[in-house]
C-alpha cells in the first residue's frame, strides 16, 4: 500500500499549499463529523491511503488530448505516491482495455466514489477529467513544474517527465494490433538500415483543428512546410551519422542515392492528403508511404469506387429518385462526424457537417448511451489512430504541428533527447513542446 507524503508538501509552493480549513471526506467519516454511508463496496484489498483517478470523458472526442491527460495524471500520481486508477465508464471510445493492457496493479483497492474529489489537491483521493483538468493542471501546476529560468523546451522538462512516465507504463497495445505494430516497426527499421538511412515521420492534422500560427488560423499549414521539414530532418540525421554514416559523408554520392530511399512515413486524419501532388512533389526525392495500412479511413470517393450507388430513375421520366449516398471520412477528423458514427440518421443522404451537428443526440440510443454499432465504428477509428502513433513514435524524427494533440503525444513517445536535439520538429509558429501547445 502506498503512503501519502504530506510532509513533503509543506515545503512546496502554492500548488502544494495546505488549506487548514479543509477536512477530507475519509477523515470526516472516521472522526464522526460525517456519517459513514450505509452501504460499503466489497473489497478484496484494503482501500488505498491516497489515489488519483483519471475519468475518461464522455464529451471530449480527442483521443490525443485524452492520452496526454491520462499520462500526465499517471505521472503526477506516481510522483506523489498516489495509487492510480482509470474510470472508463463514460468514455466515448469505449473501454480502455479494448486498446491497452490494464494499468499496473496498485496493491490496494480504489476508494468509495463519495470520497473522490476534484479539488483541493491535498485531498487524499483526487479525480481528474477533461472538465476538471484546469484545476489539477492549471496555473499553479505550471508555476510548480515549469522551470522559468530555462529557455524553450527545457523549461517544460519536469512536465514532460510526468507525461513520459505515463507513456512508458501505460502505452501497451494489445492483440493483433500490437503484433502488427511490432512487425511494421521492425520492417521500417530494416528498410532504413538497408539504405544506410533513418526513418522520418510526418503527422498532418486537418479537420476541425487549425494551426496556432495566425496566418493560417482559419485554414491549414501548407503541405510543403511539412515536406521541407522532413527533408531537413533527413539531412540532419545523415550529417549526424544516424544510424550508419559515422562521418556524415555527404560527398559519397552513392550513399546519398541510397539514403533517399529511406522511409518517409505519413499519418493524417485526412485520407485525401496521401494522394495530393503538392505533398509528393514537395517531399521529392523521398517517397511518402503510409505509417500503417492495417486500418484505413475511407473517403466518399473511395467508397464510391468500391461500392458505387446507382441512381434510381422512373421509366420514361427525367426525375431521379433520391437515394442514399456513400458517406466517407471527408477532410479530416471532426467531432460532430465522430459522434455521428453508427447513427443511421447521420449516414443517409448528403453527408454535411451542418446536418451532423444538427443531430440532437448523434450515435446514441434512447437511454443516451452510444449504440453497439456506434461503439464498434468508434473503436476502429481509435485503433487506427493508435497504430499511427505506435509506428510514428519509433521514428528517428517527427515533423508535425504542435496545435495537434497527436503532435505533442509523438513528442513524448519520441523521447526527451530527441526533442532537445530537434528531431521532434514543430512547423506551427515555432513553439517548443508543451503538453497543451502553449508557449
Amino acid at each position: 500500500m502506498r503512503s501519502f507524503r504530506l510532509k513533503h508538501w509543506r515545503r512546496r509552493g502554492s500548488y502544494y499549499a495546505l488549506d487548514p480549513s479543509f477536512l477530507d471526506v475519509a477523515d470526516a467519516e472516521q472522526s464522526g463529523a460525517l456519517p459513514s454511508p450505509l452501504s460499503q463496496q466489497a473489497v478484496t484489498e484494503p482501500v488505498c491511503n491516497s489515489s488519483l483517478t483519471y475519468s475518461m470523458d464522455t464529451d471530449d472526442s480527442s483521443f490525443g488530448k485524452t492520452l496526454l491527460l491520462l499520462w500526465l495524471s499517471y505521472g503526477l500520481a506516481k510522483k506523489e505516491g498516489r495509487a492510480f486508477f482509470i474510470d472508463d465508464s463514460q468514455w466515448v471510445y469505449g473501454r480502455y482495455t479494448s486498446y491497452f493492457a490494464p494499468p499496473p496493479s496498485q496493491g490496494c483497492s480504489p476508494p468509495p466514489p463519495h470520497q473522490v474529489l476534484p479539488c483541493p489537491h491535498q485531498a487524499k483521493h483526487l479525480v481528474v477529467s477533461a472538465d476538471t483538468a484546469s484545476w489539477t493542471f492549471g496555473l499553479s501546476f505550471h508555476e510548480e513544474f515549469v522551470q522559468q529560468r530555462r529557455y524553450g523546451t527545457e523549461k517544460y522538462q519536469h512536465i514532460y517527465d510526468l507525461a513520459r512516465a505515463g507513456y512508458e507504463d501505460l502505452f501497451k497495445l494489445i492483440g493483433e494490433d500490437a503484433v502488427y505494430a511490432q512487425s511494421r516497426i521492425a520492417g521500417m527499421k530494416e528498410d532504413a538500415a538497408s539504405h544506410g538511412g533513418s526513418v522520418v515521420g510526418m503527422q498532418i492534422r486537418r479537420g476541425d483543428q487549425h494551426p496556432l500560427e495566425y496566418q493560417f488560423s482559419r485554414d491549414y499549414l501548407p503541405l510543403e512546410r511539412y515536406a521541407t521539414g522532413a527533408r531537413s530532418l533527413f539531412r540532419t540525421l545523415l550529417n549526424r551519422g544516424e544510424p550508419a554514416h559515422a562521418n556524415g559523408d555527404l560527398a559519397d554520392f552513392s550513399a546519398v542515392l541510397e539514403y533517399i530511399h529511406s522511409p518517409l512515413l505519413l499519418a493524417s486524419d485526412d485520407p485525401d492528403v496521401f494522394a495530393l501532388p503538392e505533398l509528393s512533389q514537395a517531399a521529392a526525392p523521398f517517397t511518402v508511404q503510409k505509417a500503417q495500412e492495417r486500418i484505413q479511413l475511407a473517403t466518399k470517393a473511395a467508397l464510391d469506387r468500391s461500392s458505387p450507388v446507382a441512381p434510381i430513375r422512373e421509366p420514361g421520366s427525367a426525375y431521379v429518385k433520391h437515394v442514399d449516398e456513400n458517406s466517407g471520412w471527408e477532410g479530416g477528423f471532426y467531432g460532430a462526424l465522430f459522434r455521428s458514427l453508427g447513427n443511421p440518421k447521420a449516414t443517409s443522404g448528403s453527408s454535411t457537417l451542418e446536418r451532423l451537428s444538427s443531430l440532437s443526440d448523434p450515435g446514441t440510443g434512447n437511454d443516451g448511451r452510444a449504440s453497439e454499432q456506434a461503439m464498434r465504428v468508434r473503436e476502429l477509428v481509435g485503433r487506427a489512430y493508435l497504430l499511427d502513433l505506435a509506428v510514428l513514435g519509433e521514428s528517428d524524427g517527427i515533423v508535425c504541428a504542435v496545435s495537434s494533440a497527436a503532435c505533442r503525444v509523438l513528442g513524448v513517445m519520441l523521447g526527451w533527447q530527441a526533442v532537445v536535439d530537434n528531431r521532434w520538429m514543430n512547423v506551427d509558429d515555432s513553439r517548443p513542446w508543451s503538453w497543451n501547445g502553449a508557449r
Side-chain angles (χ1 to χ4, degrees), residues 207-229:
D208 55 11
Q209 181 65 56
H210 296 281
L212 297 171
E213 192 169 320
Y214 180 77
Q215 180 182 357
F216 301 101
S217 59
R218 296 183 181 273
D219 196 358
Y220 303 114
L221 294 171
L223 297 179
E224 182 182 3
R225 187 175 292 191
Y226 293 91
T228 301

Side-chain angles (χ1 to χ4, degrees), residues 338-345 347 363 371 373-375 377:
F338 172 79
R339 289 188 292 272
S340 75
L341 294 175
N343 186 348
K345 295 179 181 178
T347 56
S371 67
Q373 180 185 5
M375 294 312 304
V377 181

Side-chain angles (χ1 to χ4, degrees), residues 101-366:
S105 174
Q106 302 300 296
C108 54
S109 295
H114 71 278
Q115 292 186 2
V116 181
L117 304 173
C119 63
H121 197 76
Q122 71 188 76
K124 290 183 177 180
H125 303 291
L126 281 174
V127 62
V128 178
S129 70
D131 290 334
T132 67
S134 60
W135 300 348
T136 303
F137 300 112
L139 180 60
S140 59
F141 171 79
H142 279 250
E143 290 175 347
E144 178 69 27
F145 288 97
V146 173
Q147 303 174 84
Q148 296 295 348
R149 295 185 179 181
R150 295 197 176 185
Y151 177 76
T153 300
E154 291 191 354
K155 67 182 182 180
Y156 297 108
Q157 183 175 3
H158 291 335
I159 298 178
Y160 183 97
D161 290 342
L162 296 180
R164 178 72 184 185
Y167 160 68
E168 291 177 344
D169 288 357
L170 299 180
F171 193 84
K172 302 181 187 300
L173 300 185
I174 60 171
E176 295 182 357
D177 287 352
V179 175
Y180 175 86
Q182 292 169 2
S183 174
R184 177 67 174 129
I185 292 166
M188 73 180 191
K189 289 187 175 181
E190 182 180 350
D191 187 17
S194 67
H195 297 294
S198 305
V199 182
V200 170
M202 296 185 293
Q203 193 273 331
I204 300 178
R205 175 72 157 92
R206 290 195 156 188
D208 55 11
Q209 181 65 56
H210 296 281
L212 297 171
E213 192 169 320
Y214 180 77
Q215 180 182 357
F216 301 101
S217 59
R218 296 183 181 273
D219 196 358
Y220 303 114
L221 294 171
L223 297 179
E224 182 182 3
R225 187 175 292 191
Y226 293 91
T228 301
R231 287 190 283 107
S232 174
L233 263 182
F234 272 123
R235 287 195 299 270
T236 300
L237 292 169
L238 177 62
N239 286 328
R240 288 179 178 174
E242 294 182 1
H245 294 274
N247 299 317
D249 189 5
L250 285 171
D252 186 348
F253 187 66
S254 62
V256 174
L257 287 179
E258 276 293 301
Y259 197 84
I260 64 176
H261 294 291
S262 299
L264 174 55
L265 308 180
L266 171 62
S268 177
D269 61 326
D270 183 359
D272 285 332
V273 166
F274 294 96
L276 293 178
E278 175 189 351
L279 180 64
S280 57
Q281 291 169 6
F286 297 95
T287 301
V288 179
Q289 50 183 287
K290 293 180 180 180
Q292 58 87 20
E293 297 190 20
R294 176 172 169 80
I295 304 176
Q296 294 292 311
L297 302 176
T299 62
K300 182 179 183 299
L303 293 174
D304 285 343
R305 288 193 298 270
S306 60
S307 302
V309 178
I312 301 175
R313 186 183 297 274
E314 289 283 356
S317 172
Y319 175 71
V320 177
K321 284 188 175 180
H322 168 78
V323 293
D324 290 346
E325 296 180 357
N326 285 320
S327 179
W329 198 264
E330 308 299 324
F333 184 94
Y334 290 87
L337 176 60
F338 172 79
R339 289 188 292 272
S340 75
L341 294 175
N343 186 348
K345 295 179 181 178
T347 56
S348 62
S350 175
S351 60
T352 64
L353 288 176
E354 290 80 6
R355 183 173 53 77
L356 293 175
S357 301
S358 68
L359 294 173
S360 59
D361 198 13
T364 60
N366 294 330

